[in-house]
């Protein structure tokens, strides 16, 4: 039944696949793969799509994973994490926003070091950014970076928090957010776009005094790459050119 369910799933025969997985779940209560079977049945429902039915199955999968005894329960933790993750997104697609937020919060609380919680919050913040809800998106990205600093998406989240601030028109906040990236992740994966974004933010803000402050901070901070320091000084010089060409030349 387990492999029949997978084979039918690969053939995109979703209802039959769901029924095979449910046949395993109903007929073999003590089977260690029962939580996974319920999870896969729920995935079939999301793809049909029937998210209302999927929510119920994901809840059952999460409960089944928790009820397994001993070592079996430990091995089912990944299934429970995945089930909670899928349930939250199914609720979100159903428009049940408050329940979805509670589900995401529960996922983060139970699996603070897991892979899926930061991915979920990052994806949610990305959706808010696409919808033009810049302040909420910045808050979401900032939450990922602060709450999950060791996650692979933390680096991107810190960068996109700054981009969200810039897109909202708050260039002063964006400059500070970009500087936070440059100063705390001097060799991060997004360092080049962060440098460029920092320069855009300062140009948009237009304050020579603020640019001078960042140039001084860049020179004073130890451990920064030379390019970061140089580009902070160049950003100041470009703004200074509008007011005092001689000082800019110097």
């Amino acid at each position: 039944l387990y492999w029949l369910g997978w084979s039918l799933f690969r053939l995109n025969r979703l209802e039959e696949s769901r029924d095979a997985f449910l046949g395993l779940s109903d007929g073999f209560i003590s089977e260690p793969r029962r939580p996974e079977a319920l999870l896969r049945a729920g995935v079939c429902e999301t793809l049909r799509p029937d998210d209302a039915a999927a929510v119920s199955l994901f809840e059952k999968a999460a409960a089944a994973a928790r009820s397994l005894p001993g070592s079996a329960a430990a091995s089912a933790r990944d299934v429970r994490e995945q089930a909670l993750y899928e349930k939250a997104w199914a609720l979100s697609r159903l428009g049940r926003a408050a329940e979805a937020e509670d589900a995401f919060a529960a996922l983060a609380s139970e699996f603070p070091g897991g892979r899926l919680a930061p991915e979920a919050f990052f994806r949610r913040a990305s959706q808010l950014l696409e919808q033009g809800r810049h302040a909420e998106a910045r808050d979401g990205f900032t939450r990922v970076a602060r709450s999950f600093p060791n996650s692979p998406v933390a680096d991107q989240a810190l960068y996109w928090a700054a981009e969200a601030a810039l897109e909202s028109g708050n260039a002063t906040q964006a400059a500070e957010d970009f500087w936070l990236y440059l100063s705390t992740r001097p060799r991060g994966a997004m360092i080049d776009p962060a440098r460029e974004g920092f320069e855009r933010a300062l140009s948009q803000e237009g304050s020579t005094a603020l640019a001078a402050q960042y140039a001084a901070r860049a020179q004073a901070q130890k451990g920064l790459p030379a390019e970061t320091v140089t580009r902070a000084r160049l950003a100041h010089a470009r703004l200074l050119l509008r007011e005092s060409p001689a000082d800019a030349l110097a």
Side-chain angles (χ1 to χ4, degrees), residues 69 111 152 170 196 249:
F111 299 95
N170 191 343
E196 189 270 335
L249 176 60

Side-chain angles (χ1 to χ4, degrees), residues 150-166:
N150 298 320
S151 167
V153 297
D155 190 89
Q156 297 179 56
L158 197 59
Y159 168 82
W160 284 106
E163 283 288 357
L166 190 58

